[in-house]
């Protein structure tokens, strides 16, 4: 399956916006920024498009993809909780794993959606219809009381639209040039400023930003975003703890320091991944399997035989 650069560009934009939002939510932040609400919708749309191999593979492939994500979720949840709250008890970690309250809901939700995509691969209309109904329920004020579950209910429809609509998306993007991308940029701003219901704004602006990404493709700025986009898991997983530490060191996060903080956080997250790989800690980002080199670090914990 060919790589679509617009997907990487759009993912880079999404992860940058996620970092911006979380930076403005720091206790030290004096800057407040209401982002376009489409960032997670667009990220799920692209995630669905990139998950299309699940539809033609055996269950073992879908299971492996889901388990990879659940490994990351289980491993990074205590890391994020400790960064947020300090020393954290087992019961608190267990409660978070069952009902995600942090940004890691996306990782757990994606694992669930990939499994559901395989199970419903022969009846694609069913998950699209059910997830659309869940989005409508959320838009009408429905809530479960668990932020992670609510987020999945809100955005799952975008995953299934991206999953089953990839051929159409590719055909449209192939005809999208810089002029259409520019028009889509203005359309996105108009949608966000409009009084339309949030669900329609989210759907329209997510699609429009994908056209913007295609229109920007092969420009220097787009290539930078694409590089970030290809490292989305590295940044998404680690940006929370990095932001918390940076916020405490800075003492205050205002508009003057926000851009440097966001860029520095993204670069630091990518650097942390490189250092982890260099130190043999790749299992922080990739689920180890029996017989793989990822388990070799355990051998260092065993006393050598005489």
């Amino acid at each position: 399956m060919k790589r679509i650069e617009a997907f990487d560009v759009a993912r880079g934009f999404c992860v940058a916006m996620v970092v911006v939002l979380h930076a403005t939510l720091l206790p030290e932040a004096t800057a407040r920024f209401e982002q376009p609400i489409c960032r997670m919708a667009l990220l799920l749309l692209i995630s669905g498009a990139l998950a299309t191999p699940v539809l033609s593979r055996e269950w073992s492939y879908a299971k492996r993809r889901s388990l990879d994500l659940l490994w990351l979720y289980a491993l990074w949840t205590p890391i994020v909780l400790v960064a947020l709250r300090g020393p954290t008890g087992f019961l608190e970690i267990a409660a978070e794993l069952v009902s995600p309250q942090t940004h890691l809901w996306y990782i757990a939700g994606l694992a669930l959606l990939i499994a559901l995509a395989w199970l419903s691969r022969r009846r694609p209309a069913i998950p699209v219809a059910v997830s659309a109904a869940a989005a409508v329920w959320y838009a009408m004020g429905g809530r479960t009381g668990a932020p992670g579950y609510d987020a999945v209910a809100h955005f799952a429809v975008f995953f299934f639209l991206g999953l089953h609509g990839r051929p159409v998306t590719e055909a449209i993007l192939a005809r999208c040039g810089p002029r259409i991308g520019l028009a889509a940029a203005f359309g996105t701003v108009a949608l966000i400023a409009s009084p339309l219901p949030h669900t329609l704004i989210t759907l329209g602006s997510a699609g429009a930003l994908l056209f913007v990404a295609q229109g920007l493709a092969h420009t220097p700025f787009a290539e930078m975003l694409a590089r970030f986009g290809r490292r989305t898991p590295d940044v998404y997983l680690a940006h929370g703890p990095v932001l918390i530490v940076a916020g405490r060191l800075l003492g205050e996060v205002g508009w003057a320091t926000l851009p440097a903080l966001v860029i520095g956080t993204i670069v630091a997250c990518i650097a942390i991944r490189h250092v982890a790989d260099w130190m043999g800690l790749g299992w922080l980002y990739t689920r180890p399997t029996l017989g793989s080199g990822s388990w070799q670090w355990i051998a260092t914990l065993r006393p050598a035989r005489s």
Side-chain angles (χ1 to χ4, degrees):
M1 184 175 292
K2 67 177 182 179
R3 193 176 196 96
I4 307 297
E5 185 178 359
F7 289 165
D8 290 332
V9 174
R11 284 201 301 171
F13 168 80
C14 290
V15 76
M17 290 298 98
V18 168
V19 175
V20 170
L21 173 65
H22 292 160
T24 61
L25 293 178
L26 289 171
E28 298 84 3
T30 57
R32 289 292 181 265
F33 180 57
E34 288 293 330
Q35 290 180 280
I37 58 176
C38 64
R39 64 188 179 279
M40 294 310 298
L42 181 55
L43 190 57
L44 265 296
L45 187 73
I46 299 167
S47 298
L50 295 177
T52 49
V54 169
L55 301 177
S56 58
R57 301 285 190 92
E58 298 295 327
W59 164 243
S60 58
Y61 176 80
K63 181 179 71 172
R64 185 169 68 252
R65 291 283 303 272
S66 293
L67 289 177
D68 289 345
L69 290 164
L70 289 176
W71 166 268
L72 296 176
Y73 177 62
L75 191 63
W76 281 87
T77 290
I79 296 174
V80 171
L81 287 183
V82 169
L84 280 171
R85 308 170 188 172
T88 305
F90 174 79
L91 291 180
E92 191 175 356
I93 293 173
E96 177 67 24
L97 288 171
V98 172
S99 178
Q101 310 287 316
T102 71
H103 65 283
L104 294 178
W105 70 264
Y106 166 71
I107 306 296
L110 196 54
L112 172 65
L113 292 173
I114 287 174
L116 292 176
W118 188 88
L119 293 171
S120 63
R121 66 195 185 283
R122 292 190 175 90
R123 297 288 188 273
I126 294 177
V128 172
V130 172
S131 58
V136 171
W137 169 81
Y138 181 90
M140 294 177 65
R143 298 293 186 273
T144 64
Y149 297 151
D150 291 339
V152 173
H154 187 191
F155 297 114
V157 65
F158 295 95
F159 174 86
F160 288 111
L161 288 174
L163 179 73
H164 297 293
R166 175 159 181 166
V168 176
T169 302
E170 286 189 14
I172 295 174
L173 290 178
R175 295 172 172 80
C176 178
R179 292 182 180 178
I180 295 178
L182 182 62
F186 284 110
T188 301
V189 174
L191 273 171
I192 293 172
S194 72
L196 292 172
H198 279 186
T199 302
L200 293 179
I201 295 175
T202 303
L203 181 61
S205 55
L209 281 173
L210 199 52
F211 295 147
V212 174
Q214 178 67 14
L216 288 173
H218 308 301
T219 64
F221 178 68
E223 290 175 2
M224 179 188 68
L225 284 178
R227 284 197 294 271
F228 290 160
R230 287 189 283 271
R231 308 306 296 263
T232 293
D234 303 342
V235 177
Y236 196 89
L237 288 168
H239 80 276
V242 171
L243 276 176
I244 291 168
V245 172
R248 290 169 182 168
L249 290 175
L250 290 173
E252 181 178 339
V253 178
W255 287 109
T257 55
L258 183 61
L261 175 61
V262 171
I263 295 172
T265 297
I266 294 173
V267 172
C269 290
I270 295 173
I272 290 170
R273 172 61 191 271
H274 284 299
V275 171
D277 289 339
W278 177 71
M279 295 181 65
L281 302 176
W283 47 269
L284 284 169
Y285 296 90
T286 305
R287 180 174 65 94
T289 55
L290 291 176
S292 71
S294 300
W295 287 112
Q296 291 178 356
W297 64 279
I298 295 180
T300 64
L301 303 179
R302 301 172 180 168
R305 293 184 178 180
S306 56

